Amino acid sequence: MNIDFNRNEDVMKLALNNVKKIIIKIEEGGGKKAIAKQKERNKLTARERIHYLLDKEKPFIEIGIFAGYGMYEEYGGCPAGGAVAGIGYVSGKQCVVIANDQTVKAGAWFPITGKKNLRMQEIAMENNLPVIYLVDSAGVFLPMQDEIFPDKEHFGRIFRNNAKMSAMGITQIAAVMGPCVAGGAYLPIMSDETLMVEGNGSIFLAGPYLVKAAIGENTDSETLGGAVTHNEISGIADYKFKTEQECIDEIKKIMSKLGDVPKAGFSRIASLLPAKNSKELYGYFPNDNSMPYDMLEIIERIVDADETNNDERKSSFEQFKEGFGKTILCGYARIDGWAVGIVANQRLNIKNKKGELQMGGVIYNDSADKAARFIMNCNQKKIPIIFLQDVTGFMVGSRSEHSGIIKDGAKMVNAVANSVVPKITIILGNSYGAGNYAMCGKAYDPRFIYAWPSAKIAVMGGDQAAKTLLQIETASLKLKGKENSTENEESLLKKITDKYAKQTTPFYAASRLWIDAIIDPMETRAIISENIAAANNNYKIESFKTGVFQV
């Protein structure tokens, strides 16, 4: 196989530079003027607060930085979904941190803001992690209230989760550094401990203007719901501080006193660097998503070297059923010392035992059957599963249908859906159709899901979609006794492919939180390691059951 290593490397580096440029812009939040207003009030920005809070020597994985990217343009946009969030360490304790960005529409909640906050709470609940809320929000963004207020997965679900997490024994700490208005006022009070900053922090169900309109009372924010009021009169807050830094210092003290939690007990030994150079990932991954490549070369640059082989550096990846179902690679390995099971799409075109060519990236009957069995084994042995997606879908055609591809695919989907060990999904290239589901896409509850800049997510490829829709339109015209002109065909093809080109990008997926982040391939190892460390905090693993499926 000819690998255009330098070309691949250049394209990946260019894509990563584009990601970084967009991130720099997103990190400006509401812009320089809005940040200046924060400074005038002696307030830190959301990112400055998190930076001051977190342990500097420990990693921070930001979740949802692309949330809202390219959305709500009629309202001026919503960078990072109006909130900064992620998983980091405070006083040595791994935790979830969520900070409203007051520079973005006064920290108002857009629909994507609610979705991002719910995602962070989901991460906390699944992994038994403490949560720190840095509150500074004007409440629901009123022009879009119908899309954020009343439904099950809307704004109110956050306070329901506050109550559920408290019952689960998950520590929640809220620091009120700005407004906390209306329904949002419940969040800090439903947390375990509430801290407030004097002069800026305020909590009330209705602000001064609404109070005046409702009952005719004249008051101000401090009297109505400031730090002094809630620490000395109402008693609903627990601490007050002159500065944000003092407030955050207290959070660190509280976190330092948290007791350890029982661990899930996932196997970990001393970490070893991969047997093959991780820096070569850029060159081995093709610049064109239609090109074949050996997924084994990618895996061996992510997993640890084999600790038992001292004479020759060898990968720790041990293939399961290596000679069977070759379009999916399954096997055990270690990543940064953690034991993992890996399910990955093989992108080479391979001949099976019958001499028949099987297309890379396609799930065939035998590969689906193999993957289902391997997933069951990982659940039996309590081993987290890593899915490496580059899948174009299940094999189609009369031969596959007669062989029961739907049955075998359903078996794999059943195993993925019912899997109880942590699942972490990385989308490297294509993620199309039911292949997305079978390889643990967002709908199948991965603990964490990421994409490389090369990822494409859609029900099918752009060319396939365009040709399918063109056939449908042509058939429809024929029924009416009309013919589709060449010009019309070309116009429709271009329209559909252009639309797909936009909607299949990782930015489109990340903006809608179909994925948690777009990551540098070279950071894959470290991120997976931190994710398993987070999952290890939840010792409650249910028993694995698959229910009924066709055999």
Side-chain angles (χ1 to χ4, degrees), residues 258-274:
L258 294 187
D260 289 333
V261 296
K263 303 297 182 183
F266 302 127
S267 171
R268 193 181 196 187
I269 62 174
S271 174
L272 292 173
L273 291 174

Side-chain angles (χ1 to χ4, degrees), residues 196 202-204 224-237:
M196 297 186 72
S202 58
I203 307 171
F204 34 67
L224 188 62
V228 172
T229 294
H230 287 314
N231 276 271
E232 299 179 13
I233 300 174
S234 74
I236 66 172

